[in-house]
Amino acid sequence: MAEELIVKGQSKREKYLVLLPQIKALIEGEKDVIANMANVVAALNQTFHFFWVGFYQVKEEVLVLGPFQGPVACTRIQFGKGVCGTSWKERQPVLVPDVNQFPGHIACNSASKSEIVVPVMIEGEVVAILDIDSDEFDSFDATDVIYLERICALLAKTF
Ligand code: SME
């Protein structure tokens, strides 16, 4: 999807530029990471109205479902499994334009068509995963990667 795409008068990039300082202000004075993850997903959803947006936290060598908005989802994901487990293993964002083309994709909801996963890192270690699903194909691009990484970096400071 083109970065220049205009949604309700603002490009995706413009929306992220408005959202970033809001998220920074929301979380920088709060030490509770669950509260911060909850507000980050709410802020993202208020701006973009995603099909599903949420966090998985690394807990004792497994990803465990954290704060999210959207339909009910899988509660635990193993290292290296699915898009989330792959992002954790690779320590990199993973962009999936068509979930049917991603081997091992975990379908928590059959309506999900494309997905982006960005790790929350502290000193090179993944502590959580931000997962966003769309019910349309090809919803995410490099712009999402850039700004979601910045949001995850802000959040990492509160872990
Ligand atoms: N599709 C993800 C699982 C999490 S749900 O999308 C919320 C995956 O393959 O890891």
Side-chain angles (χ1 to χ4, degrees), residues 51-54 56 63 65 68 71-74 77-78 81-86 96 99 102-109 112 114-115 117 129 131-133:
F51 176 71
W52 195 93
V53 50
Y56 283 88
L63 289 174
L65 183 63
F68 71 96
V72 294
C74 326
I77 298 173
Q78 302 297 322
K81 300 294 182 191
V83 186
C84 295
T86 300
V96 183
V99 297
F102 189 94
H105 168 257
I106 300 164
C108 295
N109 190 298
S112 179
S114 59
E115 182 163 355
V117 176
I129 289 287
D131 181 16
I132 305 177
D133 289 9

